[in-house]
Amino acid sequence: MTTRWRGEGDQHQGARPYQEDSWRLLTLGDGSLLAVVADGMGGHAGGAVASQLAVDIIYQKLSSGDVPQNRDDLAARLVQSIEAAGLRIFSEAKL
């Protein structure tokens, strides 16, 4: 029997007039739930953009392709998605 998860989230904006943190929930093929959370770095230039890019890219990479077959496969894909997000953020920051 496969367990299905549901999740909800909320954010607290804090002292700034805008939210820099980003998050998204992803239900994996086996029914497990992955929470992707990125901190906007507290007022650093482009923090909101960087955190949203990170969440979007990680979500895209993990939700496309075949379902991970085991924890090692999931871990490898997670590392690859984080690396891809980091490269993209670094590239965007140089523009």
Side-chain angles (χ1 to χ4, degrees):
M1 180 173 143
T2 301
T3 302
R4 294 282 177 194
W5 293 90
R6 240 184 76 207
E8 296 180 24
D10 194 14
Q11 293 177 303
H12 181 266
Q13 187 167 312
R16 289 182 183 73
Y18 52 89
Q19 181 58 266
E20 290 190 346
D21 304 334
S22 299
W23 61 274
R24 192 163 182 181
L25 301 174
L26 171 64
T27 302
L28 301 174
D30 67 353
S32 58
L33 185 68
L34 177 68
V36 181
V37 180
D39 190 316
M41 296 300 292
H44 290 276
V49 173
S51 70
Q52 190 62 58
L53 269 173
V55 167
D56 290 346
I57 291 167
I58 293 167
Y59 180 88
Q60 176 191 30
K61 297 283 185 187
L62 290 176
S63 62
S64 63
D66 296 330
V67 175
Q69 298 302 308
N70 53 50
R71 288 183 182 179
D72 290 339
D73 186 26
L74 175 59
R77 288 183 59 186
L78 185 56
V79 167
Q80 291 168 353
S81 68
I82 292 168
E83 288 173 344
L87 288 171
R88 174 73 185 279
I89 292 165
F90 183 73
S91 173
E92 293 285 328
K94 293 187 131 217
L95 296 178

